[in-house]
């Protein structure tokens, strides 16, 4: 091959390589700048929280993932409840209200132990194996179980069992259940635990002197339309009030990083006692 032709080819390849390397360098420099800006901003927000005497635990930077989910109205709970015995129950707006004929006692206050057998008995609790105990949402007089989904736990008023405790006995319960859950989109990444807490503070949703007691990621309802509901991954954050000691439960949309307003029909619980 002609030497001059080889030289031209070499110069062209060398020039393209230089352009590629330069473009890669600029792109990496931009990413590094963006990341540094994020780190600086997070550091500044954490410093502001410290100045406001807000106690924050170590927060994870791990990115998780989730789906947009949808469920349609169904009669699954009503149908399953036809087998119930030893209780008086009724329905209102798809919520089952039941009072037990024989209250359930628990040795040493271990209600979850006493409820294990009850939940697996379809004559006592309809579809009981579809729920799991939630310590975070329970109190001394409310034992809360949340519905399990293949995609994760549902923390919402539409999928829960709340057992009422009176005089150290479980005397009644309320129950809701969602059925026919489908995914609307492919799995998407969520914001991190740290991003959720910092976003909560940026939205002025944490009072001075408060303490972040816990965080958990689950599904909650975004909207209702045409007899269907849409659920999204949501960061639930327990914020303890300095003066009262009560824990307010705040929600952050784990996809959009937006503060989700509390409402009686969308939240599992807006507050619990510490």
């Amino acid at each position: 091959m002609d030497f001059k032709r080889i030289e031209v080819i070499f110069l062209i390849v060398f020039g393209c390589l230089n352009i590629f390397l330069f473009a890669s360098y600029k792109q990496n420099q931009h990413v590094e700048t963006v990341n540094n800006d994020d780190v600086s901003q997070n550091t500044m927000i954490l410093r502001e929280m410290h100045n406001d005497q807000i106690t924050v635990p170590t927060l994870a930077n791990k990115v998780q993932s989730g789906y947009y989910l949808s469920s349609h109205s169904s009669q699954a709970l009503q149908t399953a409840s036809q087998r119930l015995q030893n209780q008086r129950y009724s329905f209102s707006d798809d919520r089952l209200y039941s009072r037990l004929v024989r209250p359930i006692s628990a040795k040493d206050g271990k209600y979850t132990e006493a409820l294990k057998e009850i939940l697996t008995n379809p004559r006592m609790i309809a579809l009981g194996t579809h729920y799991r105990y939630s310590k975070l949402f329970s109190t001394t007089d409310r034992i809360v179980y949340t519905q399990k989904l293949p995609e994760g736990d549902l923390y919402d008023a539409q999928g829960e069992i709340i057992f009422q405790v009176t005089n150290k006995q479980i005397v009644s319960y309320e129950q809701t259940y969602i059925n026919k859950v489908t995914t609307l989109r492919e799995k998407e990444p969520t914001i991190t635990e740290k991003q959720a807490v910092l976003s909560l503070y940026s939205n002025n949703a944490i009072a001075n002197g408060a303490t972040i007691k816990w965080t958990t990621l689950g599904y909650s309802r975004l909207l209702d339309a045409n007899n269907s509901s849409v659920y999204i991954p949501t960061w639930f954050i327990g914020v303890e009030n300095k003066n009262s000691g009560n824990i307010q439960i705040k929600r952050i949309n784990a996809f959009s990083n937006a503060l989700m307003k509390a409402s009686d029909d969308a939240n599992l619980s807006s507050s619990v006692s510490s």
Side-chain angles (χ1 to χ4, degrees):
M1 183 181 291
D2 182 52
F3 177 76
K4 202 158 190 69
R5 186 178 177 187
I6 295 175
E7 186 178 23
V8 171
I9 294 173
F10 176 78
L11 288 174
I12 293 173
V13 172
F14 183 74
C16 292
L17 181 61
N18 280 341
I19 293 172
F20 172 77
L21 291 175
F22 179 76
S24 298
Y25 169 75
K26 295 298 288 183
Q27 184 177 12
N28 290 336
Q29 191 177 46
H30 174 70
V31 170
E32 184 178 354
T33 301
V34 171
N35 289 338
N36 287 338
D37 288 344
D38 289 342
V39 171
S40 299
Q41 185 176 14
N42 290 347
T43 301
M44 183 177 65
I45 295 174
L46 286 171
R47 188 178 298 118
E48 290 177 0
M49 294 176 75
H50 177 74
N51 292 338
D52 288 338
Q53 297 182 327
I54 296 172
T55 303
V56 183
T58 302
L59 301 172
N61 274 314
K62 181 181 179 182
V63 175
Q64 302 189 47
S65 58
Y67 300 90
Y68 281 91
L69 302 178
S70 174
S71 72
H72 299 276
S73 297
S74 76
Q75 300 296 310
L77 182 58
Q78 288 89 332
T79 300
S81 67
Q82 294 175 9
R83 302 178 62 186
L84 294 176
Q85 299 176 357
N86 299 318
Q87 55 194 287
R88 294 183 293 274
Y89 67 90
S90 61
F91 277 89
S92 177
D93 297 327
D94 295 326
R95 179 173 287 263
L96 183 154
Y97 296 87
S98 176
R99 177 163 290 276
L100 303 176
V101 173
R102 299 183 183 88
I104 301 171
S105 299
K107 185 178 180 181
D108 300 325
K110 297 180 179 179
Y111 297 107
T112 54
E113 291 295 322
L115 288 170
K116 278 184 179 179
E117 185 176 348
I118 303 299
L119 286 162
T120 57
N121 184 349
R123 290 182 173 82
M124 289 299 298
I125 303 294
L127 306 169
T129 57
H130 293 236
Y131 302 81
R132 82 170 92 241
Y133 171 63
S134 175
K135 181 179 180 179
L136 295 178
F137 295 102
S138 297
T139 65
T140 54
D141 58 357
R142 298 169 72 251
I143 312 301
V144 178
Y145 283 73
T146 55
Q147 189 174 340
K148 300 179 292 185
L149 302 176
E151 296 80 10
D153 288 339
L154 177 67
Y155 300 141
D156 190 88
Q158 287 190 334
E160 64 183 4
I161 305 177
I162 301 176
F163 294 95
Q164 299 293 338
V165 179
T166 303
N167 296 326
K168 299 182 179 181
Q169 290 184 315
I170 297 173
V171 297
S172 62
Y173 68 90
E174 303 174 18
Q175 181 180 5
T176 52
Y177 178 80
I178 67 169
N179 193 28
K180 299 179 181 178
V181 179
T182 57
T183 57
L184 300 178
R185 298 183 187 177
E186 295 295 321
K187 184 180 290 188
E188 298 181 22
T190 68
I191 63 171
T192 67
E193 178 188 44
K194 176 179 283 187
Q195 288 174 311
V197 172
L198 298 186
S199 178
L200 194 64
Y201 176 78
S202 298
N203 279 278
N204 299 316
I206 306 177
N208 291 358
T211 299
I212 305 299
K213 298 296 289 185
W214 51 262
T215 68
T216 187
L217 183 65
Y219 283 88
S220 72
R221 189 162 17 126
L222 179 64
L223 57 89
D224 297 316
N226 299 324
N227 293 321
S228 298
S229 298
V230 175
Y231 304 86
I232 57 168
T234 303
W235 279 105
F236 288 77
I237 304 169
V239 183
E240 183 181 53
N241 184 280
K242 178 182 179 181
N243 298 319
S244 67
N246 289 338
I247 297 177
Q248 292 287 320
I249 300 175
K250 309 289 186 176
R251 299 185 304 153
I252 293 290
N253 185 319
F255 282 150
S256 70
N257 205 14
L259 176 67
M260 300 174 71
K261 299 296 183 181
S263 60
D264 292 338
D265 61 348
N267 238 350
L268 181 73
S269 176
S270 60
S271 65
V272 298
S273 299
S274 59

